[in-house]
Amino acid sequence: MKTPLYALSAADLLSNYRQRELSPVEVMQSVLDRIEHWEPGIRAMYVVHAEQALAAARSAEARWLAGTPNGPLDGVPVTLKENIATRGTPVPLGSAATVLAPAPADAPAAARLLEAGAIVVGKTTMPDFGFLGAAPSSFHPLTRNPWKLDRNTGGSSSGAGAAAAAGYGPLHLGTDIGGSVRIPASFCGVFGLKPSHGRVPVHPPAAARVIGPLTRTVADAALAMQAISRPDARDYMSLPPQDIAWQQLERDIRGLRIGLWLDPSGDWQVDAEVRAAVLAAAHLFEQGGAVVEPVRDWTTMDMRIGMAHFFTMRCRVDLAGMPPERASLAAGYIRKAAEFAGTLTPEQTFQAFTRMQQLREATVAATQPYDFVISPVSPVLPFAADAINSGGDLPLKDSHFTAVFNHSEQPAASIPCGMSRDGLPIGLQISGRRFDDLGVLQLAHWFERASEPQRQWPEPH
């Protein structure tokens, strides 16, 4: 069966453009048609720039026909999470409390993609201020999982995960401060990379905040990284520019030492189907010649509570800067977090920051003996679409395996490693040593090729 144009990888599109076998215009029309068919069900898009995207595709077509492409991604459709600013488009940050005003400039990652010739199809959804590993937002309609519409996409790059799974073109960018690229990638059955902190320039920069790609293939994520990792002076926390061979994904894994982090230190367990899929992935690495060893959970509840307190204080500061009538429009989970933060003393707030530093130190120390560490992305399967977490008395459980690598600044990815009995995706997290973004991509590429082929992608109902 011939692959539809909207489902072609970025690598395949570029090859076809180069050989003049496909036009960026017909590809863009296919993507826009796909969005039209899927959006009533999944609501992944905040805004679709249909006319501008088609006009840009016509320009790209002319350049390819003349043999003068504008850059390494000329004519490739992309979507951006709505908090990655594009000039002229308001940035609501997922919240009805935000005053809408056109963004004055493109964010660094958006600028780099445009310079590379990529075409921004539109912007994808997110929950209020990116605070959740789930989809509900006070501004956007509820985004739903293409695999099962009554299931959550994860968050906060909710729309990006859904768009990648639904086939809204090959490249999608999200942001991640505690798992916000990897959790949607896991729940939606796509690949997602959280790069090392500072690898991709961000504006405004902040501790733990990164931008990364969500794609259907590891090779497409590498293509995106080649563009978005280029420097931008606005990010004063970014890493020095580095000439990384992003396309060199082949790697022999024999002899690699891989840690398997599977059992949390608390009084809860990873869901049985998630656990089985991760153990099967570990066995596959062993069959490939890697040495896989169990890793004990190095985190403590004090560290995690410190992280939670720090980010609830961020909610309080965000709302305090607004007129009360606007702050009241924020989602209930934001207002509840801000109210709780008001009970913390200055000493407790500083202690929260200190505990996050302890989490960072412990994560680097525990993972340093290994070339890579594998784990679940989420300890649970995708939960109800309108829920803000997986429920119960353990709200920190959902980001248990992901948030640590934001604070340690290490690269980490989510790659599909199985499906539940009910047809819900399960993601495997692969984390590497700090700055070894290429190594994480290489190990993910090996796993992608060694695994069973992805089942047929979901279709609109």
Side-chain angles (χ1 to χ4, degrees), residues 248-264:
Q248 293 183 10
L249 295 176
E250 300 299 326
R251 180 168 189 163
D252 186 350
I253 73 163
R254 287 176 294 183
L256 288 179
R257 191 178 180 195
I258 298 177
L260 173 61
W261 179 28
L262 189 55
D263 295 314

Side-chain angles (χ1 to χ4, degrees), residues 252-297:
D252 186 350
I253 73 163
R254 287 176 294 183
L256 288 179
R257 191 178 180 195
I258 298 177
L260 173 61
W261 179 28
L262 189 55
D263 295 314
S265 58
D267 57 356
W268 57 274
Q269 296 295 318
V270 172
D271 282 8
E273 289 185 275
V274 175
R275 182 184 179 87
V278 173
L279 284 171
H283 182 60
L284 195 61
F285 284 120
E286 287 179 323
Q287 288 181 316
V291 178
V292 179
E293 305 172 8
V295 180
R296 295 185 62 181
D297 193 345

Side-chain angles (χ1 to χ4, degrees), residues 133 155-156 175-185 194 377 399 402-403 406:
S156 63
T175 64
D176 192 315
I177 202 168
S180 291
V181 163
R182 289 157 290 160
I183 295 172
K194 180 206 80 68
V377 175
S399 61
T402 55
N406 292 80

Side-chain angles (χ1 to χ4, degrees), residues 257-261 293-299 303 358-373 404-405 408 410 431 433:
R257 191 178 180 195
I258 298 177
L260 173 61
W261 179 28
E293 305 172 8
V295 180
R296 295 185 62 181
D297 193 345
W298 59 86
T299 69
M303 294 174 185
Q358 293 169 349
L359 178 62
R360 174 177 181 161
E361 180 181 12
T363 302
V364 172
T367 59
Q368 188 61 34
Y370 303 97
D371 297 297
F372 302 95
V373 171
V404 296
F405 296 114
S408 69
Q410 295 169 246
S431 62
R433 292 177 178 148

Side-chain angles (χ1 to χ4, degrees), residues 320-339:
M322 302 177 182
E325 62 272 16
R326 290 221 64 88
S328 68
L329 300 176
Y333 54 81
I334 295 291
R335 290 184 276 111
K336 183 177 179 181
E339 181 180 350

Side-chain angles (χ1 to χ4, degrees), residues 58-109:
R58 285 190 286 271
S59 297
E61 177 187 63
R63 289 190 295 271
W64 280 109
L65 287 173
T68 56
N70 193 36
L73 295 176
D74 201 5
V76 175
V78 302
T79 73
L80 306 177
K81 189 176 178 180
E82 56 105 320
N83 64 340
I84 303 172
T86 49
R87 186 166 60 88
T89 302
V91 183
L93 301 176
S95 181
T98 305
V99 176
L100 298 182
D106 294 322

Side-chain angles (χ1 to χ4, degrees), residues 312-313 316 335-346 348-349:
T312 57
M313 186 57 73
R316 182 170 181 81
R335 290 184 276 111
K336 183 177 179 181
E339 181 180 350
F340 170 79
T343 68
L344 299 176
T345 65
Q348 287 173 317
T349 302

